[in-house]
PDB file of all heavy atoms in Angstrom:
ATOM      1  N   TYR B   6      -0.934   2.555 -19.371  1.00 90.00           N
ATOM      2  CA  TYR B   6      -1.335   1.661 -18.284  1.00 90.00           C
ATOM      3  C   TYR B   6      -2.135   2.428 -17.229  1.00 90.00           C
ATOM      4  O   TYR B   6      -3.145   1.964 -16.750  1.00 90.00           O
ATOM      5  CB  TYR B   6      -0.095   1.065 -17.600  1.00 90.00           C
ATOM      6  CG  TYR B   6       0.543  -0.077 -18.336  1.00 90.00           C
ATOM      7  CD1 TYR B   6       1.294   0.148 -19.489  1.00 90.00           C
ATOM      8  CD2 TYR B   6       0.412  -1.385 -17.894  1.00 90.00           C
ATOM      9  CE1 TYR B   6       1.889  -0.893 -20.168  1.00 90.00           C
ATOM     10  CE2 TYR B   6       1.007  -2.436 -18.572  1.00 90.00           C
ATOM     11  CZ  TYR B   6       1.749  -2.189 -19.700  1.00 90.00           C
ATOM     12  OH  TYR B   6       2.331  -3.226 -20.371  1.00 90.00           O
ATOM     13  N   PRO B  41     -41.950   6.638   8.492  1.00 96.00           N
ATOM     14  CA  PRO B  41     -40.631   6.993   7.949  1.00 96.00           C
ATOM     15  C   PRO B  41     -39.846   7.851   8.945  1.00 96.00           C
ATOM     16  O   PRO B  41     -40.433   8.720   9.605  1.00 96.00           O
ATOM     17  CB  PRO B  41     -40.973   7.794   6.681  1.00 96.00           C
ATOM     18  CG  PRO B  41     -42.301   7.255   6.255  1.00 96.00           C
ATOM     19  CD  PRO B  41     -43.037   6.944   7.534  1.00 96.00           C
ATOM     20  N   ASP B  96      -5.341 -14.085 -22.062  1.00 97.00           N
ATOM     21  CA  ASP B  96      -5.408 -14.197 -23.520  1.00 97.00           C
ATOM     22  C   ASP B  96      -6.816 -13.854 -24.014  1.00 97.00           C
ATOM     23  O   ASP B  96      -7.451 -14.611 -24.749  1.00 97.00           O
ATOM     24  CB  ASP B  96      -5.007 -15.624 -23.951  1.00 97.00           C
ATOM     25  CG  ASP B  96      -4.864 -15.734 -25.468  1.00 97.00           C
ATOM     26  OD1 ASP B  96      -4.613 -14.690 -26.116  1.00 97.00           O
ATOM     27  OD2 ASP B  96      -5.024 -16.847 -25.992  1.00 97.00           O
ATOM     28  N   GLY B 108      -4.623   3.214  -2.863  1.00 85.00           N
ATOM     29  CA  GLY B 108      -3.367   3.949  -2.749  1.00 85.00           C
ATOM     30  C   GLY B 108      -3.316   5.001  -1.657  1.00 85.00           C
ATOM     31  O   GLY B 108      -2.760   6.067  -1.847  1.00 85.00           O
ATOM     32  N   SER B 118     -15.466   8.289   2.224  1.00 98.00           N
ATOM     33  CA  SER B 118     -16.586   8.674   3.079  1.00 98.00           C
ATOM     34  C   SER B 118     -16.101   9.067   4.473  1.00 98.00           C
ATOM     35  O   SER B 118     -16.680   9.958   5.105  1.00 98.00           O
ATOM     36  CB  SER B 118     -17.613   7.534   3.172  1.00 98.00           C
ATOM     37  OG  SER B 118     -18.746   7.948   3.903  1.00 98.00           O
ATOM     38  N   GLY B 194     -25.814  -3.575  24.882  1.00 92.00           N
ATOM     39  CA  GLY B 194     -26.014  -4.479  23.746  1.00 92.00           C
ATOM     40  C   GLY B 194     -24.958  -5.573  23.696  1.00 92.00           C
ATOM     41  O   GLY B 194     -25.258  -6.740  23.444  1.00 92.00           O
ATOM     42  N   ALA B 212     -21.403  -5.247  16.189  1.00 92.00           N
ATOM     43  CA  ALA B 212     -20.512  -4.108  16.416  1.00 92.00           C
ATOM     44  C   ALA B 212     -21.240  -2.796  16.152  1.00 92.00           C
ATOM     45  O   ALA B 212     -21.017  -1.790  16.837  1.00 92.00           O
ATOM     46  CB  ALA B 212     -19.266  -4.232  15.540  1.00 92.00           C
ATOM     47  N   HIS B 240     -20.958   9.841  -0.925  1.00 98.00           N
ATOM     48  CA  HIS B 240     -19.531  10.217  -0.864  1.00 98.00           C
ATOM     49  C   HIS B 240     -18.696   9.353  -1.810  1.00 98.00           C
ATOM     50  O   HIS B 240     -17.737   9.818  -2.420  1.00 98.00           O
ATOM     51  CB  HIS B 240     -19.005  10.067   0.566  1.00 98.00           C
ATOM     52  CG  HIS B 240     -19.804  10.806   1.588  1.00 98.00           C
ATOM     53  ND1 HIS B 240     -19.965  10.351   2.880  1.00 98.00           N
ATOM     54  CD2 HIS B 240     -20.514  11.960   1.516  1.00 98.00           C
ATOM     55  CE1 HIS B 240     -20.728  11.197   3.554  1.00 98.00           C
ATOM     56  NE2 HIS B 240     -21.076  12.182   2.745  1.00 98.00           N
ATOM     57  N   LEU B 415     -11.136  -1.715  -7.959  1.00 98.00           N
ATOM     58  CA  LEU B 415     -10.220  -2.410  -7.058  1.00 98.00           C
ATOM     59  C   LEU B 415     -10.211  -1.584  -5.773  1.00 98.00           C
ATOM     60  O   LEU B 415      -9.452  -0.640  -5.618  1.00 98.00           O
ATOM     61  CB  LEU B 415      -8.822  -2.511  -7.653  1.00 98.00           C
ATOM     62  CG  LEU B 415      -7.911  -3.425  -6.831  1.00 98.00           C
ATOM     63  CD1 LEU B 415      -8.310  -4.882  -7.025  1.00 98.00           C
ATOM     64  CD2 LEU B 415      -6.459  -3.238  -7.205  1.00 98.00           C
TER      65      LEU B 415
END
Side-chain angles (χ1 to χ4, degrees):
Chain B
Y6 281 74
D96 188 24
S118 185
H240 306 147
L415 189 73

